[in-house]
Amino acid sequence: SLFGCAVENPDTDDANQTSDPAVQGVSMSVAALKGPTGIGMVKLMSDSETGGTVNDYTFQVFDSPDNVVAAVSNVDNPVQVAAVPVNVAASLYNKTNGKIQVAAINTLGTLFLLENGESIQSVADLKGKTIYVSGQGATPEYVLDYILTSNGIDPDKDVDIQFVADHATLATMVVAGEADIALLPQPNVTTVLTQAPDVRIALDLTKAWDDTNAKNGKQGQLSMGCIIVNKEFAEQNKAAFNKFLDEYKASVEYVTAEANLDAAAQLCETYGIIPKAAVAKKAIPDCNITYIEGAEMKQNMQQNLQILFDANPKSIGGTMPDDAFYYTR
């Protein structure tokens, strides 16, 4: 199978046990990404470290989605649960012939268009401009293409899109004045704004997405990150995995509460999700950390994946996932 199966841990503290023996002491390997996709996990990481969780979690934090894919595919050091971009989840589902499922959306839109200047006030103002983008062949490119096309702008003819290798490189270019208009996610946006006071947020692509959907008669929020689980593991440990979802949801609620912002930001630095607590504190409110499961998750995911599929089928692994892709309690 894609992942190994968890084993029961007889040494789990009795204080963390529940009345349901199926969720007592199940070991679970969990992968998180640096950046917004991993932010909702930090309180759970802290609780696990101090013995405050029902399950026995082992966390790994990775720099890129490719690293997570390798981890969840590694039978020698298996990861059963992971936080990944939405398109990566669909690609893994297709690649593994249905061996993973998506259980919850954990991050909505985190993309912002930055400008050193005042010329961009609406999507229409992008026509004829040069836009620097990090994320060729990934969600940022296809979200931008969808918004441009729906607003009568041909991405291939009406704008000059220059792709940059990664978010950090593009952020450095904006700060150095080498890119006047750039599409970046949080927390890179906060990093740029902190270092370059002349740069501003020109467009919030989550709002632009919502406006575009309204124009096209579509529903569903822009979903960028999600929680996936090995299907076999979830079937064999359903009560324990459901408990993980409960504990993860509580972690998200803690992180997104305004009263906990300082503590959440420090946890982001402690666990390497965002390098500096000061940056995390400014970025978290704009990272759209959330927890959505069930029918609402499915509706949002299907619309997002359909848009990505229409742009480039390879972006989600070649085919639209069927209903078995979606985990239900």
Side-chain angles (χ1 to χ4, degrees), residues 4-46:
C5 298
V7 295
E8 293 200 349
N9 178 4
D11 297 325
T12 301
D13 189 337
D14 289 342
N16 296 331
Q17 301 297 309
T18 72
S19 58
D20 185 348
V23 299
Q24 292 183 6
V26 173
S27 297
M28 206 174 297
S29 182
V30 183
L33 269 174
K34 294 180 180 180
T37 309
I39 289 174
M41 200 81 75
V42 294
K43 183 59 165 64
L44 183 57
M45 291 176 173
S46 176

Side-chain angles (χ1 to χ4, degrees), residues 164-204:
V164 179
D166 55 71
H167 303 322
T169 300
L170 180 52
T172 300
M173 290 173 61
V174 177
V175 171
E178 298 171 2
D180 288 334
I181 302 173
L183 179 62
L184 278 168
Q186 286 287 11
N188 304 86
V189 169
T190 295
T191 300
V192 170
L193 296 179
T194 301
Q195 299 178 21
D198 291 336
V199 175
R200 68 183 183 93
I201 293 177
L203 295 175
D204 178 346

Side-chain angles (χ1 to χ4, degrees), residues 100-301:
I100 67 103
Q101 291 180 299
V102 60
I105 294 170
N106 73 348
T107 316
L108 297 175
T110 65
L111 295 170
F112 295 85
L113 194 85
L114 302 182
E115 183 191 15
N116 188 346
E118 298 288 339
S119 66
I120 307 301
Q121 303 295 327
S122 69
V123 174
D125 295 331
L126 292 172
K127 190 169 184 177
K129 304 294 186 182
T130 297
I131 307 170
Y132 290 84
V133 179
S134 52
Q136 184 173 20
T139 300
E141 177 186 0
Y142 300 125
V143 168
L144 180 61
D145 283 358
Y146 171 63
I147 292 171
L148 290 174
T149 302
S150 297
N151 285 275
I153 300 174
D154 187 330
D156 296 321
K157 298 178 180 178
D158 297 332
V159 292
D160 179 15
I161 298 178
Q162 296 290 322
F163 290 103
V164 179
D166 55 71
H167 303 322
T169 300
L170 180 52
T172 300
M173 290 173 61
V174 177
V175 171
E178 298 171 2
D180 288 334
I181 302 173
L183 179 62
L184 278 168
Q186 286 287 11
N188 304 86
V189 169
T190 295
T191 300
V192 170
L193 296 179
T194 301
Q195 299 178 21
D198 291 336
V199 175
R200 68 183 183 93
I201 293 177
L203 295 175
D204 178 346
L205 260 68
T206 300
K207 184 180 185 304
W209 173 280
D210 291 341
D211 292 344
T212 300
N213 277 349
K215 181 185 299 185
N216 293 340
K218 295 182 178 181
Q219 296 179 339
Q221 298 166 286
L222 174 58
S223 302
M224 296 191 64
C226 60
I227 298 293
I228 61 171
V229 62
N230 171 260
K231 183 178 181 181
E232 182 181 359
F233 173 84
E235 289 173 348
Q236 295 178 357
N237 302 276
K238 192 172 182 68
F241 179 64
N242 286 344
K243 189 61 183 177
F244 162 81
L245 293 178
D246 292 339
E247 293 182 326
Y248 177 76
K249 181 180 180 182
S251 180
V252 168
E253 290 171 348
Y254 177 91
V255 168
T256 55
E258 185 176 354
N260 300 326
L261 183 56
D262 286 332
Q266 185 57 56
L267 288 174
C268 285
E269 178 179 325
T270 298
Y271 293 105
I273 300 299
I274 296 177
K276 298 296 182 181
V279 173
K281 182 177 178 179
K282 293 180 179 180
I284 287 173
D286 288 328
C287 283
N288 278 329
I289 309 305
T290 190
Y291 181 88
I292 302 171
E293 63 177 326
E296 185 181 357
M297 169 192 71
K298 182 178 179 180
Q299 178 184 352
N300 280 5
M301 288 280 289

